[in-house]
């Protein structure tokens, strides 16, 4: 059943029938719940994560994993959108990231909301929530590579910092 659903979704998304899904096709197929286009940066990020053959597009096998990833994020998003507003506010974001194991200041959560809020509503939409979480995880993984003592502190040069940031997949 799951393969059948994925196959139907794949052909629905592959508008030009090329056998591969482009970022434009994926963006037009996804809904963030706000009647606005899915964040192109989030689409690029997800294609980069699932494009195993480095073609710049998503084939059928890659699509199955990507579709499940999106559904899993949707379930996560809904579970933290406590007021069912269709977006995540600062407190809901803090609850989500704390449950993921992050211990961050309220000031930092405020910064995250400002960074990932594209509407000026002091909230984060579904697509931006995915991007926020993936970027934090990528930055955390990069940080951990330098945090050899696992104490939350690193000492790196400016060039190492730039290399850390610019080498991110996210």
């Amino acid at each position: 059943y799951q393969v059948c659903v994925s196959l139907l979704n794949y052909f629905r998304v592959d508008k030009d029938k090329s056998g591969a899904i482009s970022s434009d096709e994926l963006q037009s197929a996804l809904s963030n719940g706000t009647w606005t286009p899915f964040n192109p940066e989030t689409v690029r990020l997800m294609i980069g994560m699932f494009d195993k053959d480095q073609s710049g597009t998503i084939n059928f096998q890659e699509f199955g994993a990507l579709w499940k990833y999106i559904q899993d994020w949707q379930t996560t998003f809904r579970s933290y959108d406590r007021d069912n507003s269709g977006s995540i506010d600062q407190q809901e974001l803090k609850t989500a990231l704390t449950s993921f194991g992050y211990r961050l200041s309220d000031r930092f959560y405020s910064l995250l909301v400002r960074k990932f809020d594209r509407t000026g509503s002091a909230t984060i939409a579904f697509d931006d929530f995915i991007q926020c979480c993936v970027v934090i995880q990528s930055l955390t993984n990069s940080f951990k590579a330098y945090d050899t003592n696992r104490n939350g502190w690193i000492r790196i040069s400016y060039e190492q910092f730039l290399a850390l940031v610019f080498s991110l997949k996210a």
Side-chain angles (χ1 to χ4, degrees):
Y1 173 73
Q2 184 63 35
V3 171
C4 185
V5 170
S6 290
L7 187 61
L8 287 172
N9 286 329
Y10 182 77
F11 287 116
R12 182 179 55 85
V13 175
D14 183 18
K15 296 286 189 200
D16 65 3
K17 309 294 183 232
S18 65
I21 296 172
S22 69
S23 59
D24 289 343
E25 287 172 322
L26 185 60
Q27 181 183 16
S28 69
L30 295 174
S31 169
N32 62 13
T34 63
W35 302 106
T36 58
F38 214 80
N39 185 332
E41 185 60 25
T42 306
V43 172
R44 184 198 63 77
L45 182 70
M46 291 190 304
I47 286 183
M49 292 169 63
F50 288 92
D51 178 20
K52 300 303 180 199
D53 63 4
Q54 303 296 306
S55 65
T57 59
I58 298 292
N59 65 32
F60 179 69
Q61 289 76 21
E62 296 163 340
F63 181 77
L66 172 61
W67 199 254
K68 181 180 180 338
Y69 181 78
I70 292 168
Q71 289 174 321
D72 289 348
W73 271 116
Q74 195 168 42
T75 300
T76 300
F77 180 85
R78 286 181 178 147
S79 73
Y80 291 106
D81 179 17
R82 300 276 187 215
D83 60 0
N84 295 315
S85 64
S87 60
I88 298 283
D89 64 24
Q90 183 173 329
Q91 187 56 48
E92 291 166 333
L93 180 64
K94 181 178 182 177
T95 302
L97 293 180
T98 300
S99 76
F100 300 162
Y102 296 101
R103 303 293 178 259
L104 306 165
S105 69
D106 286 341
R107 186 173 169 195
F108 187 75
Y109 286 111
S110 178
L111 173 69
L112 285 175
V113 170
R114 286 193 312 274
K115 169 75 175 158
F116 292 98
D117 169 21
R118 290 185 299 144
T119 63
S121 60
T123 60
I124 301 175
F126 170 61
D127 51 343
D128 300 312
F129 176 72
I130 294 172
Q131 184 181 356
C132 175
C133 293
V134 170
V135 166
I136 288 173
Q137 183 61 50
S138 296
L139 286 167
T140 299
N141 291 342
S142 295
F143 183 92
K144 283 180 177 179
Y146 290 96
D147 186 15
T148 54
N149 296 333
R150 297 290 181 253
N151 63 3
W153 291 89
I154 62 173
R155 185 179 178 107
I156 58 176
S157 70
Y158 179 62
E159 189 169 332
Q160 286 173 310
F161 167 74
L162 290 175
L164 182 148
V165 171
F166 287 118
S167 65
L168 291 179
K169 271 286 235 191

